[in-house]
Amino acid sequence: MKLDIEGRVALVVGASRGIGFAIADTLAAEGAKLAVAARGIDGIKSAAGRIGRGASFHPVDVTDHAAATALVNEVERQWGGIDILVCNVGSGASVPPGQETAAEWSRVMDLNLFAATNTIEAARPVMSRGNGDRAIICVSSICGLAALGAPVTYSAAKAALNATVRGLARPLALEGIRINAVAPGNILSADGTWARKIAENKSAVEEMLAREVPLRRLGRPEEVADIVAFLASARAAFITGTVIVADGGQLRA
């Protein structure tokens, strides 16, 4: 299927590794003009170098509202606008349920909710000046859709992100912008949590998959990236305000 992304400007935030890198690489392979952003300068330089194809790199912490605005302005100056925005900043690392503190709530919300809302707010005026279909995609989690034993702070932040996507769909549609989210399940990346868990106790991971995931395997970052690329494309022009689950069947509706 031809996605017709070629030549469109895509900003991927949280692109230095894992799902974010796979999204950036997939969009670049589809011919997008790519700007990649992340907090660590070494990681984002490495990602831009591996992606190649003229990608620009931007070391920035978008949990800072002013920094998110500066990022968007820089990308607009460099590329002339933004057609596709991918908000992938986030982390599931937090305290066990029942041990939350005010400081931990603030830290996790900054990463998993406000990083996205800051970037969306900054990009909205730029994207609304476009002439055609513009797309925002947020990377959420199935933990925002069900109680699965994940940290409460993380699950609440992702639930709020899902609500944000659904709530913004109508006002953004009036400006020619679609917004959707992808909620992955358990994704295996080289330096991620599941790689560590497999190294520690592979049989326990296999037992969990057999018990909880009908497809009995972990997902790949590229599988999430393919969904994001579709949502970013004109092929998804009638889709907005939705959260697409990619979890191997783990959620029980």
Side-chain angles (χ1 to χ4, degrees):
M1 179 184 294
K2 185 174 175 56
L3 295 180
D4 295 325
I5 290 174
E6 187 171 359
R8 303 186 76 196
V9 178
L11 169 59
V12 183
V13 184
S16 60
R17 59 190 177 90
I19 290 173
F21 174 79
I23 291 169
D25 195 41
T26 297
L27 292 176
E30 291 288 337
K33 299 175 181 177
L34 201 71
V36 293
R39 287 187 295 179
I41 188 168
D42 292 337
I44 201 61
K45 279 185 176 179
S46 173
R50 284 180 290 155
I51 293 167
R53 298 182 283 272
S56 63
F57 66 91
H58 307 268
V60 60
D61 181 357
V62 294
T63 63
D64 181 297
H65 185 274
T69 301
L71 167 65
V72 167
N73 291 339
E74 182 179 353
V75 172
E76 183 183 27
R77 284 194 300 270
Q78 182 164 0
W79 294 104
I82 299 172
D83 302 303
I84 299 163
L85 171 64
V86 180
C87 300
N88 178 61
V89 174
S91 170
S94 187
V95 297
Q99 298 182 22
E100 301 80 17
T101 63
E104 184 64 1
W105 275 109
S106 180
R107 184 190 72 82
V108 176
M109 285 290 180
D110 277 347
L111 279 174
N112 292 288
L113 176 61
F114 297 133
T117 58
N118 286 345
T119 311
I120 292 167
E121 181 183 350
R124 182 176 179 176
V126 176
M127 298 182 76
S128 66
R129 289 196 290 269
N131 297 320
D133 187 36
R134 302 294 189 264
I136 299 172
I137 304 98
C138 296
V139 178
S140 183
S141 168
I142 60 171
C143 295
L145 297 168
L148 299 171
V152 175
T153 52
Y154 177 69
S155 299
K158 290 303 190 183
L161 180 60
N162 294 339
T164 299
V165 166
R166 293 180 177 118
L168 286 177
R170 286 179 178 270
L172 289 180
L174 299 176
E175 301 169 19
I177 304 170
R178 294 181 297 106
I179 182 168
N180 294 288
V182 179
N186 303 312
I187 304 298
L188 176 62
S189 57
D191 53 356
T193 299
W194 286 106
R196 174 179 56 78
K197 288 184 177 182
I198 289 171
E200 292 172 352
N201 192 338
K202 184 177 181 181
S203 62
V205 173
E206 291 172 343
E207 289 171 7
M208 182 281 293
L209 292 171
R211 183 179 64 252
E212 300 292 342
V213 182
L215 292 185
R216 297 196 171 199
R217 69 174 177 88
L218 298 167
R220 297 182 293 109
E222 293 78 13
E223 292 174 313
V224 180
D226 286 344
I227 298 170
V228 172
F230 170 71
L231 289 173
S233 77
R235 299 293 183 181
F238 200 51
I239 301 175
T240 195
T242 193
V243 180
I244 294 181
V245 173
D247 69 346
Q250 184 174 354
L251 284 183
R252 293 168 173 82

